[in-house]
């Protein structure tokens, strides 16, 4: 009976090191996942800004084409 009580309280060194390594690895993966989430959010914002710029340039080009077309029409 005393052997079971002693073995329940006793944990071997390599087992503790393995558990500590698993916890550290989990913390690293959690940190990487949060950084990836932030990076994805930044990429989405950049993509929206890029499309807004593309649409703005296209609108300016079309407005200038329309303006030159309107100037060429006789009254």
């Amino acid at each position: 009976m005393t052997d079971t009580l002693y073995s329940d309280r006793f944990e071997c060194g390599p087992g503790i090191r393995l558990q500590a390594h698993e916890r550290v690895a989990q913390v690293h993966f959690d940190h990487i996942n949060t950084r990836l989430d932030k990076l994805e959010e930044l990429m989405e914002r950049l993509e929206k800004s890029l499309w807004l710029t593309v649409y703005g340039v296209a609108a300016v080009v079309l407005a200038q084409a329309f303006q030159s077309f309107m100037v060429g029409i006789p009254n």
Side-chain angles (χ1 to χ4, degrees):
M1 174 138 173
T2 59
D3 292 335
T4 59
L5 292 176
Y6 182 73
S7 65
D8 288 342
R9 290 184 290 150
F10 179 74
E11 294 186 25
C12 64
I16 293 172
R17 287 179 48 202
L18 180 62
Q19 288 175 353
H21 178 66
E22 288 174 350
R23 284 184 296 209
V24 169
Q26 185 62 41
V27 168
H28 283 210
F29 284 128
D30 291 342
H31 182 66
I32 288 171
N33 284 334
T34 56
R35 290 181 67 183
L36 283 173
D37 290 341
K38 288 180 183 180
L39 185 61
E40 286 177 1
E41 182 181 326
L42 287 173
M43 287 176 59
E44 286 176 3
R45 288 175 47 196
L46 180 64
E47 183 180 5
K48 288 178 185 178
S49 299
L50 179 65
W51 279 113
L52 184 63
T53 303
V54 167
Y55 288 141
V57 169
V60 168
V61 168
L62 289 174
Q64 287 180 348
F66 181 72
Q67 185 180 15
S68 66
F69 179 72
M70 292 302 287
V71 170
I73 296 176
N75 287 340

